[in-house]
Amino acid sequence: QLGYIDTVWDPFFGQQSEQVLNSAMSHSMPVSDAGLGAIAYTFEFLMGWMGAPSRWRTMPWMVAIFGILVIPLGLVHIFLVISQPVIVGAWCMFCLLAAAIMIPMIPLEVDEVIAMIQFMKKKLKKGEESFWKLFWKGGTIKSEAEDKAPEMMAFPQKPGPVYSASIWGISFPWTLSVATVLGLVLVAAPGVFGVGIQETVADVFHLSGSLIVVVSIISMGEPLRICRYFNILLGLTVVIAPWFLGNSPTGLSVTGAVAGLAVAALALPVGPKTQRYAGWDAYIK
Protein backbone atom coordinates (compact mmCIF):
# COMPACT_ATOMS: atom_id res chain seq x y z
CA GLN A 1 0.00 0.00 0.00
CA LEU A 2 2.88 2.41 0.71
CA GLY A 3 4.55 1.63 -2.62
CA TYR A 4 7.86 0.24 -1.33
CA ILE A 5 7.40 -3.08 -3.15
CA ASP A 6 5.59 -3.83 -6.40
CA THR A 7 4.16 -7.29 -5.71
CA VAL A 8 2.59 -9.25 -2.87
CA TRP A 9 3.27 -12.96 -2.30
CA ASP A 10 0.17 -15.05 -1.70
CA PRO A 11 0.52 -18.86 -1.95
CA PHE A 12 -3.23 -19.50 -2.24
CA PHE A 13 -4.96 -16.59 -4.00
CA GLY A 14 -2.20 -15.22 -6.23
CA GLN A 15 -2.87 -11.69 -7.54
CA GLN A 16 -6.08 -11.39 -5.51
CA SER A 17 -4.13 -10.02 -2.53
CA GLU A 18 -2.98 -7.08 -4.64
CA GLN A 19 -6.59 -6.44 -5.65
CA VAL A 20 -7.58 -6.26 -1.99
CA LEU A 21 -4.68 -4.03 -0.94
CA ASN A 22 -5.24 -1.65 -3.85
CA SER A 23 -9.03 -1.63 -3.70
CA ALA A 24 -11.15 1.45 -3.08
CA MET A 25 -12.17 -0.05 0.28
CA SER A 26 -8.53 -0.24 1.43
CA HIS A 27 -7.90 3.36 0.32
CA SER A 28 -11.08 4.78 1.80
CA MET A 29 -9.16 6.42 4.69
CA PRO A 30 -6.60 9.22 4.44
CA VAL A 31 -3.91 6.88 5.81
CA SER A 32 -2.98 3.30 5.00
CA ASP A 33 -5.47 0.98 6.70
CA ALA A 34 -2.76 -1.70 6.95
CA GLY A 35 -0.40 0.80 8.59
CA LEU A 36 -3.11 1.87 11.01
CA GLY A 37 -3.75 -1.79 11.83
CA ALA A 38 -0.04 -2.35 12.47
CA ILE A 39 -0.01 0.52 14.98
CA ALA A 40 -3.09 -0.86 16.75
CA TYR A 41 -1.59 -4.37 16.90
CA THR A 42 1.65 -2.95 18.33
CA PHE A 43 -0.27 -1.29 21.17
CA GLU A 44 -2.22 -4.51 21.75
CA PHE A 45 1.01 -6.50 21.96
CA LEU A 46 2.59 -4.08 24.43
CA MET A 47 -0.52 -3.72 26.60
CA GLY A 48 -0.93 -7.49 26.72
CA TRP A 49 2.26 -7.61 28.80
CA MET A 50 1.36 -4.74 31.14
CA GLY A 51 0.45 -5.42 34.73
CA ALA A 52 -0.24 -8.58 36.71
CA PRO A 53 -3.26 -10.93 36.45
CA SER A 54 -4.98 -8.64 38.98
CA ARG A 55 -4.80 -5.60 36.68
CA TRP A 56 -8.61 -5.62 36.33
CA ARG A 57 -8.65 -3.93 39.79
CA THR A 58 -5.18 -2.36 39.96
CA MET A 59 -5.18 -0.78 36.45
CA PRO A 60 -8.81 -0.32 35.28
CA TRP A 61 -7.74 2.36 32.75
CA MET A 62 -5.38 -0.06 31.01
CA VAL A 63 -7.98 -2.84 30.85
CA ALA A 64 -10.53 -0.38 29.41
CA ILE A 65 -8.15 0.83 26.66
CA PHE A 66 -6.98 -2.71 25.91
CA GLY A 67 -10.60 -3.85 25.70
CA ILE A 68 -11.42 -1.06 23.20
CA LEU A 69 -8.43 -2.03 21.04
CA VAL A 70 -9.28 -5.73 21.10
CA ILE A 71 -13.10 -5.98 21.07
CA PRO A 72 -14.71 -3.20 18.94
CA LEU A 73 -11.66 -2.58 16.75
CA GLY A 74 -11.11 -6.31 16.41
CA LEU A 75 -14.70 -6.83 15.27
CA VAL A 76 -14.38 -4.02 12.73
CA HIS A 77 -11.20 -5.60 11.36
CA ILE A 78 -12.83 -9.03 11.12
CA PHE A 79 -15.93 -7.72 9.33
CA LEU A 80 -13.81 -5.73 6.87
CA VAL A 81 -11.86 -8.90 6.03
CA ILE A 82 -14.90 -11.12 5.52
CA SER A 83 -16.53 -8.44 3.34
CA GLN A 84 -13.64 -8.62 0.85
CA PRO A 85 -15.18 -11.27 -1.43
CA VAL A 86 -18.44 -9.28 -1.56
CA ILE A 87 -17.07 -5.76 -2.04
CA VAL A 88 -13.76 -6.43 -3.81
CA GLY A 89 -14.45 -9.87 -5.28
CA ALA A 90 -11.09 -11.25 -4.10
CA TRP A 91 -9.43 -12.99 -1.15
CA CYS A 92 -6.21 -12.05 0.69
CA MET A 93 -4.41 -14.82 2.60
CA PHE A 94 -2.55 -12.61 5.06
CA CYS A 95 -5.71 -10.57 5.70
CA LEU A 96 -7.52 -13.80 6.56
CA LEU A 97 -4.59 -14.85 8.78
CA ALA A 98 -4.76 -11.54 10.64
CA ALA A 99 -8.50 -12.02 11.19
CA ALA A 100 -7.91 -15.59 12.41
CA ILE A 101 -5.49 -14.22 15.01
CA MET A 102 -7.90 -11.47 16.07
CA ILE A 103 -10.97 -13.65 16.59
CA PRO A 104 -9.70 -15.62 19.66
CA MET A 105 -8.46 -12.40 21.28
CA ILE A 106 -12.04 -11.19 21.75
CA PRO A 107 -13.27 -14.01 24.04
CA LEU A 108 -9.87 -14.04 25.76
CA GLU A 109 -10.19 -10.36 26.73
CA VAL A 110 -13.89 -9.95 27.45
CA ASP A 111 -13.81 -11.69 30.88
CA GLU A 112 -11.15 -9.22 32.07
CA VAL A 113 -13.23 -6.26 30.90
CA ILE A 114 -16.31 -7.67 32.66
CA ALA A 115 -14.31 -8.18 35.87
CA MET A 116 -13.08 -4.57 35.70
CA ILE A 117 -16.60 -3.20 35.16
CA GLN A 118 -18.03 -5.26 38.03
CA PHE A 119 -15.19 -4.12 40.31
CA MET A 120 -15.79 -0.46 39.43
CA LYS A 121 -19.56 -0.75 39.97
CA LYS A 122 -19.15 -2.45 43.33
CA LYS A 123 -16.63 0.08 44.64
CA LEU A 124 -18.61 3.09 43.38
CA LYS A 125 -21.80 1.71 44.92
CA LYS A 126 -20.09 1.73 48.31
CA GLY A 127 -19.10 5.35 47.74
CA GLU A 128 -15.56 4.76 48.99
CA GLU A 129 -13.74 6.58 46.16
CA SER A 130 -14.44 8.83 43.19
CA PHE A 131 -14.80 7.36 39.72
CA TRP A 132 -11.66 8.92 38.24
CA LYS A 133 -9.44 8.07 41.21
CA LEU A 134 -10.62 4.48 41.04
CA PHE A 135 -10.26 4.38 37.24
CA TRP A 136 -6.68 5.67 37.19
CA LYS A 137 -5.30 4.25 40.44
CA GLY A 138 -7.38 1.10 41.02
CA GLY A 139 -8.12 -0.35 44.42
CA THR A 140 -8.58 -3.52 46.45
CA ILE A 141 -11.51 -5.84 46.98
CA LYS A 142 -12.15 -8.73 49.33
CA SER A 143 -12.49 -12.12 47.67
CA GLU A 144 -12.60 -15.69 48.88
CA ALA A 145 -11.01 -16.90 45.67
CA GLU A 146 -7.23 -16.93 45.43
CA ASP A 147 -5.49 -16.08 42.17
CA LYS A 148 -3.20 -19.03 41.48
CA ALA A 149 -2.34 -18.11 37.90
CA PRO A 150 1.38 -18.74 37.21
CA GLU A 151 3.51 -15.99 35.74
CA MET A 152 4.18 -16.06 31.99
CA MET A 153 7.91 -16.39 32.68
CA ALA A 154 7.23 -19.81 34.22
CA PHE A 155 6.15 -21.23 30.85
CA PRO A 156 9.35 -23.31 30.24
CA GLN A 157 8.93 -25.01 33.64
CA LYS A 158 5.11 -25.16 33.75
CA PRO A 159 3.79 -25.08 30.17
CA GLY A 160 0.50 -26.80 31.05
CA PRO A 161 -0.56 -24.53 33.95
CA VAL A 162 0.54 -21.38 32.09
CA TYR A 163 -1.45 -22.36 28.99
CA SER A 164 -4.52 -23.22 31.09
CA ALA A 165 -4.31 -19.84 32.83
CA SER A 166 -3.93 -18.05 29.49
CA ILE A 167 -7.28 -19.40 28.21
CA TRP A 168 -9.18 -18.86 31.48
CA GLY A 169 -12.83 -18.19 30.75
CA ILE A 170 -12.91 -20.20 27.53
CA SER A 171 -14.31 -23.70 27.02
CA PHE A 172 -14.70 -25.68 23.84
CA PRO A 173 -18.18 -27.25 23.55
CA TRP A 174 -18.32 -29.82 20.78
CA THR A 175 -21.40 -28.04 19.44
CA LEU A 176 -19.51 -24.80 18.79
CA SER A 177 -16.47 -26.67 17.49
CA VAL A 178 -18.60 -28.49 14.90
CA ALA A 179 -20.39 -25.24 14.00
CA THR A 180 -16.99 -23.64 13.33
CA VAL A 181 -16.08 -26.45 10.93
CA LEU A 182 -19.47 -26.16 9.19
CA GLY A 183 -18.93 -22.42 8.79
CA LEU A 184 -15.65 -23.12 6.98
CA VAL A 185 -17.44 -25.68 4.80
CA LEU A 186 -20.01 -23.07 3.81
CA VAL A 187 -17.27 -20.57 2.91
CA ALA A 188 -15.58 -23.14 0.64
CA ALA A 189 -18.81 -24.55 -0.86
CA PRO A 190 -19.29 -22.02 -3.72
CA GLY A 191 -15.79 -22.72 -5.03
CA VAL A 192 -16.32 -26.48 -4.80
CA PHE A 193 -19.51 -26.23 -6.90
CA GLY A 194 -17.89 -23.88 -9.41
CA VAL A 195 -19.82 -20.74 -8.49
CA GLY A 196 -17.96 -17.48 -9.21
CA ILE A 197 -16.87 -15.33 -6.29
CA GLN A 198 -18.95 -12.38 -7.50
CA GLU A 199 -22.21 -14.32 -7.77
CA THR A 200 -24.93 -13.33 -5.28
CA VAL A 201 -25.32 -16.86 -3.96
CA ALA A 202 -21.56 -16.99 -3.33
CA ASP A 203 -21.89 -13.78 -1.29
CA VAL A 204 -24.56 -15.43 0.86
CA PHE A 205 -22.35 -18.44 1.58
CA HIS A 206 -19.16 -16.43 2.11
CA LEU A 207 -20.72 -13.93 4.51
CA SER A 208 -22.90 -16.41 6.41
CA GLY A 209 -20.15 -19.02 6.69
CA SER A 210 -17.57 -16.47 7.85
CA LEU A 211 -19.96 -15.00 10.42
CA ILE A 212 -20.80 -18.48 11.71
CA VAL A 213 -17.09 -19.08 12.32
CA VAL A 214 -16.73 -15.72 14.09
CA VAL A 215 -19.84 -16.17 16.26
CA SER A 216 -18.90 -19.76 17.18
CA ILE A 217 -15.37 -18.85 18.29
CA ILE A 218 -16.49 -15.76 20.20
CA SER A 219 -19.19 -17.84 21.94
CA MET A 220 -16.50 -20.21 23.21
CA GLY A 221 -15.78 -17.44 25.68
CA GLU A 222 -18.15 -18.34 28.50
CA PRO A 223 -19.19 -14.73 29.29
CA LEU A 224 -20.29 -14.37 25.64
CA ARG A 225 -21.91 -17.80 25.30
CA ILE A 226 -25.32 -16.23 24.65
CA CYS A 227 -23.99 -14.84 21.33
CA ARG A 228 -24.31 -18.34 19.84
CA TYR A 229 -28.01 -17.66 19.16
CA PHE A 230 -26.94 -15.49 16.19
CA ASN A 231 -25.95 -18.76 14.51
CA ILE A 232 -29.64 -19.71 14.32
CA LEU A 233 -30.36 -16.70 12.12
CA LEU A 234 -27.21 -17.26 10.05
CA GLY A 235 -27.94 -20.95 9.60
CA LEU A 236 -31.52 -20.32 8.48
CA THR A 237 -30.26 -17.67 6.03
CA VAL A 238 -28.13 -20.29 4.28
CA VAL A 239 -31.03 -22.74 4.35
CA ILE A 240 -33.55 -20.41 2.68
CA ALA A 241 -31.74 -17.82 0.55
CA PRO A 242 -30.10 -20.10 -2.10
CA TRP A 243 -33.48 -21.50 -3.22
CA PHE A 244 -34.61 -17.99 -4.21
CA LEU A 245 -31.48 -17.29 -6.26
CA GLY A 246 -31.65 -18.67 -9.77
CA ASN A 247 -27.88 -19.08 -10.18
CA SER A 248 -27.52 -21.53 -7.29
CA PRO A 249 -26.69 -25.14 -8.28
CA THR A 250 -28.89 -27.76 -6.64
CA GLY A 251 -25.91 -29.35 -4.94
CA LEU A 252 -24.91 -26.03 -3.38
CA SER A 253 -28.47 -25.35 -2.20
CA VAL A 254 -28.73 -28.80 -0.60
CA THR A 255 -25.34 -28.33 1.08
CA GLY A 256 -26.50 -25.01 2.47
CA ALA A 257 -29.77 -26.53 3.72
CA VAL A 258 -28.07 -29.42 5.53
CA ALA A 259 -25.21 -27.38 7.00
CA GLY A 260 -27.47 -24.44 7.89
CA LEU A 261 -29.97 -26.60 9.77
CA ALA A 262 -27.12 -28.29 11.62
CA VAL A 263 -25.60 -24.93 12.62
CA ALA A 264 -28.99 -23.67 13.87
CA ALA A 265 -29.55 -26.83 15.93
CA LEU A 266 -26.03 -26.74 17.38
CA ALA A 267 -26.67 -23.20 18.66
CA LEU A 268 -29.35 -24.37 21.11
CA PRO A 269 -27.29 -26.19 23.82
CA VAL A 270 -25.46 -23.83 26.19
CA GLY A 271 -22.46 -26.12 26.61
CA PRO A 272 -20.20 -26.44 29.68
CA LYS A 273 -19.44 -23.58 32.04
CA THR A 274 -16.17 -24.06 33.89
CA GLN A 275 -15.77 -20.78 35.79
CA ARG A 276 -17.80 -18.32 37.86
CA TYR A 277 -18.26 -14.67 36.84
CA ALA A 278 -20.05 -13.14 39.85
CA GLY A 279 -23.02 -11.03 38.70
CA TRP A 280 -22.39 -11.89 35.04
CA ASP A 281 -23.40 -15.53 35.62
CA ALA A 282 -27.03 -14.52 35.09
CA TYR A 283 -26.27 -13.66 31.44
CA ILE A 284 -24.62 -16.99 30.62
CA LYS A 285 -27.54 -19.05 29.33
Side-chain angles (χ1 to χ4, degrees), residues 224-237:
L224 295 177
R225 187 60 54 82
I226 198 170
C227 293
R228 73 190 189 280
Y229 288 122
F230 282 113
N231 274 352
I232 297 177
L233 177 61
L234 293 169
L236 293 179
T237 298

Side-chain angles (χ1 to χ4, degrees), residues 200-201 204 236-248 253:
T200 304
V201 67
V204 172
L236 293 179
T237 298
V238 181
V239 170
I240 298 171
W243 300 101
F244 292 92
L245 299 173
N247 56 351
S248 178
S253 299

Side-chain angles (χ1 to χ4, degrees), residues 268-280:
L268 297 176
V270 66
K273 176 175 168 292
T274 60
Q275 306 291 342
R276 291 184 299 155
Y277 304 91
W280 195 260

Side-chain angles (χ1 to χ4, degrees), residues 13-239:
F13 304 111
Q15 300 296 316
Q16 292 188 43
S17 281
E18 292 185 27
Q19 297 178 40
V20 172
L21 294 175
N22 293 322
S23 66
M25 182 178 71
S26 293
H27 290 280
S28 59
M29 293 186 291
V31 297
S32 165
D33 64 338
L36 188 62
I39 293 173
Y41 299 150
T42 301
F43 278 110
E44 288 180 16
F45 176 80
L46 294 174
M47 296 185 77
W49 290 88
M50 290 178 64
S54 59
R55 63 186 185 177
W56 53 272
R57 62 173 177 80
T58 59
M59 304 172 70
W61 64 270
M62 198 283 299
V63 174
I65 296 173
F66 190 49
I68 292 171
L69 283 174
V70 171
I71 300 173
L73 293 184
L75 287 173
V76 169
H77 169 87
I78 292 166
F79 291 140
L80 284 175
V81 170
I82 64 179
S83 67
Q84 289 172 0
V86 178
I87 298 175
V88 183
W91 293 101
C92 168
M93 189 203 74
F94 287 109
C95 303
L96 293 174
L97 179 61
I101 294 171
M102 281 298 304
I103 296 173
M105 290 180 65
I106 296 172
L108 284 170
E109 173 59 12
V110 71
D111 62 289
E112 186 177 43
V113 174
I114 291 173
M116 180 271 293
I117 293 173
Q118 291 191 113
F119 164 74
M120 293 280 293
K121 287 178 63 177
K122 189 171 184 178
K123 296 291 283 186
L124 291 172
K125 189 175 182 180
K126 292 182 178 180
E128 298 175 356
E129 298 177 21
S130 67
F131 174 86
W132 290 113
K133 183 179 180 180
L134 195 62
F135 184 76
W136 292 113
K137 295 187 176 182
T140 59
I141 191 170
K142 293 182 180 180
S143 174
E144 299 177 357
E146 182 182 355
D147 187 2
K148 299 180 180 179
E151 296 293 335
M152 184 65 71
M153 296 299 292
F155 183 78
Q157 295 78 31
K158 303 176 180 179
V162 171
Y163 172 74
S164 298
S166 70
I167 60 169
W168 191 94
I170 289 184
S171 55
F172 304 94
W174 70 269
T175 50
L176 294 176
S177 299
V178 173
T180 302
V181 174
L182 291 175
L184 294 173
V185 169
L186 290 170
V187 172
V192 172
F193 286 95
V195 177
I197 191 172
Q198 295 183 334
E199 297 288 343
T200 304
V201 67
D203 293 342
V204 172
F205 275 77
H206 290 151
L207 283 177
S208 298
S210 299
L211 288 173
I212 287 169
V213 172
V214 172
V215 169
S216 299
I217 295 177
I218 288 177
S219 299
M220 291 178 184
E222 294 177 1
L224 295 177
R225 187 60 54 82
I226 198 170
C227 293
R228 73 190 189 280
Y229 288 122
F230 282 113
N231 274 352
I232 297 177
L233 177 61
L234 293 169
L236 293 179
T237 298
V238 181
V239 170

